[in-house]
Amino acid sequence: MKQIPRLIQFACLAAVMMLAFNADRLRAQGQPPPDHPAVTVQGQIYTPRSILARNMGTNEDQTTAFPPHKIIGNIYYVGTRTLTSFLLVTPQGNIIINSTYERNVPVIQKSVEQLGFKFSATRILLGNHAHGDHQEGDALVKQLTGAQVMAMAEDVPALQAMKPGGKEHPIDKVLHDGEEVTLGGTTIVAHLTPGHTRGCTTWTMKAQEGGKTYDVMFGCSLRAPGAVTPAIADEFNRSFKLVHALPCDVQLGDHGAQYNMQAKYAKLKNGGPNPFIDPASCKLERDISEAIFNAILAEQQKAGRPFLP
Ligand SMILES: [Zn+2]
């Protein structure tokens, strides 16, 4: 009869060890968000978990090059299947937006070269927001190209905490809301759209194609955290309004899924009009993010905890 308690003890120990192992894995990957609340936008159901899964894809998606391609004007795609990186080509050198993970820097370099451009001609490195999947590679890009790294003031502390392999995060110029960055006749404007990070930056610029000028928006993620505090709520409310007001014919984002990149790229092969010029869907990601944000707030209110720490 003594065997049973010992068996139970052993089973408990094994269960505790498994839980600890899983907890470690979760921590390493970031806690997955809950599968609620659910919202429906244009007939599609979204939850915090489904949005994150859609954005990130698999580990392989995050590190495998998506075919590099021209988007419009002097704007090219050089990122992976799910983590975007954009190349702006000018006669005085190039701008890259989003270095992504450090391990992806050689992937981006190869895509730039595959398009016939020089990675070493990168003069300025920008980013959408201070999370590792978008800006961890900044130090390595600077090391390889000598590019000037510019970042929104509100994201500087989070960027400085990002030290892949112990490398200091380079910041050559601190930007403020509305500031312009100009190189070789291309001007791109930094808009502070906080919430997802304190310095989340939505970039806008003009691009020319077929004698026409188009407004391009490189949207920053508007994905809300699991618990919305008053400060975060204020930031998001400001950002939703601003993004709604920004002129947009071509919407891009820090993850390809935010602008349906793979489907639009597939349409490129058919010829015809540029599928990236799509003002009708410009604000879709904003609308999805706002719907989820409001649903999270409503859930918190219902639970009698309008704002969790
Ligand atoms: Zn992020």
Side-chain angles (χ1 to χ4, degrees), residues 45-119:
I45 298 169
Y46 301 90
T47 70
R49 188 174 298 175
S50 78
I51 289 173
L52 185 67
R54 178 207 72 169
N55 283 357
M56 298 304 285
T58 62
N59 283 342
E60 202 191 338
D61 291 333
Q62 293 163 31
T63 52
T64 304
F66 189 71
H69 56 273
K70 179 176 171 166
I71 297 169
I72 186 168
N74 62 339
I75 306 170
Y76 297 82
Y77 187 83
V78 291
T80 69
R81 287 182 197 153
T82 55
L83 306 178
T84 63
S85 179
F86 302 102
L87 178 74
L88 316 181
V89 175
T90 94
Q92 285 170 24
N94 306 329
I95 299 173
I96 286 181
I97 305 174
N98 296 332
S99 60
T100 78
Y101 286 125
E102 190 178 61
R103 60 184 175 277
N104 283 342
V105 172
V107 178
I108 292 170
Q109 175 169 5
K110 206 174 153 200
S111 291
V112 170
E113 286 161 1
Q114 222 173 300
L115 289 167
F117 302 111
K118 283 191 178 139
F119 189 62

Side-chain angles (χ1 to χ4, degrees), residues 3 14 20 70 75 95 102 109 117 123 126 159 163 175 178 194 200 227 230 243:
Q3 292 288 352
K70 179 176 171 166
I75 306 170
I95 299 173
E102 190 178 61
Q109 175 169 5
F117 302 111
R123 298 278 172 269
L126 308 172
L159 287 172
K163 292 180 180 171
L175 302 171
C200 218
V243 171

Side-chain angles (χ1 to χ4, degrees), residues 7-275:
L7 245 171
I8 291 170
Q9 260 180 14
F10 183 75
C12 283
L13 186 69
V16 165
M17 280 171 71
M18 276 181 69
L19 274 174
F21 171 74
N22 277 330
D24 262 3
R25 274 191 51 198
L26 286 180
R27 229 169 285 136
Q29 297 166 357
Q31 199 79 21
D35 217 10
H36 62 86
V39 298
T40 304
V41 181
Q42 291 191 11
Q44 276 271 112
I45 298 169
Y46 301 90
T47 70
R49 188 174 298 175
S50 78
I51 289 173
L52 185 67
R54 178 207 72 169
N55 283 357
M56 298 304 285
T58 62
N59 283 342
E60 202 191 338
D61 291 333
Q62 293 163 31
T63 52
T64 304
F66 189 71
H69 56 273
K70 179 176 171 166
I71 297 169
I72 186 168
N74 62 339
I75 306 170
Y76 297 82
Y77 187 83
V78 291
T80 69
R81 287 182 197 153
T82 55
L83 306 178
T84 63
S85 179
F86 302 102
L87 178 74
L88 316 181
V89 175
T90 94
Q92 285 170 24
N94 306 329
I95 299 173
I96 286 181
I97 305 174
N98 296 332
S99 60
T100 78
Y101 286 125
E102 190 178 61
R103 60 184 175 277
N104 283 342
V105 172
V107 178
I108 292 170
Q109 175 169 5
K110 206 174 153 200
S111 291
V112 170
E113 286 161 1
Q114 222 173 300
L115 289 167
F117 302 111
K118 283 191 178 139
F119 189 62
S120 60
T122 310
R123 298 278 172 269
I124 296 174
L125 177 62
L126 308 172
N128 274 123
H129 70 268
H131 281 162
D133 51 342
H134 307 291
Q135 295 197 247
E136 188 194 66
D138 286 13
L140 183 56
V141 171
K142 183 172 177 76
Q143 205 174 299
L144 294 172
T145 66
Q148 263 203 304
V149 181
M150 303 184 186
M152 187 68 88
E154 289 80 353
D155 252 1
V156 166
L159 287 172
Q160 282 170 336
M162 208 181 277
K163 292 180 180 171
K167 283 191 234 32
E168 289 291 328
H169 197 100
I171 292 167
D172 299 300
K173 190 174 180 198
V174 175
L175 302 171
H176 300 279
D177 186 23
E179 203 163 330
E180 293 182 348
V181 173
T182 298
L183 181 72
T186 288
T187 295
I188 183 160
V189 187
H191 303 274
L192 177 65
T193 49
H196 187 69
T197 66
R198 305 302 315 274
C200 218
T201 307
T202 293
W203 297 93
T204 57
M205 65 177 276
K206 307 266 185 201
Q208 273 77 36
E209 187 169 273
K212 283 187 185 163
T213 300
Y214 295 93
D215 286 299
V216 181
M217 183 175 82
F218 301 83
C220 190
S221 181
L222 294 166
R223 193 168 62 78
V228 178
T229 64
I232 291 174
D234 285 349
E235 288 186 341
F236 273 113
N237 283 322
R238 175 192 188 281
S239 297
F240 290 135
K241 238 180 256 161
L242 180 73
V243 171
H244 190 71
L246 287 175
C248 173
D249 300 303
V250 177
Q251 185 229 343
L252 304 170
D254 45 33
H255 295 279
Q258 292 164 350
Y259 65 96
N260 224 352
M261 172 184 74
Q262 304 217 7
K264 285 179 180 169
Y265 173 77
K267 280 190 198 162
L268 271 181
K269 290 180 197 136
N270 309 336
N274 185 339

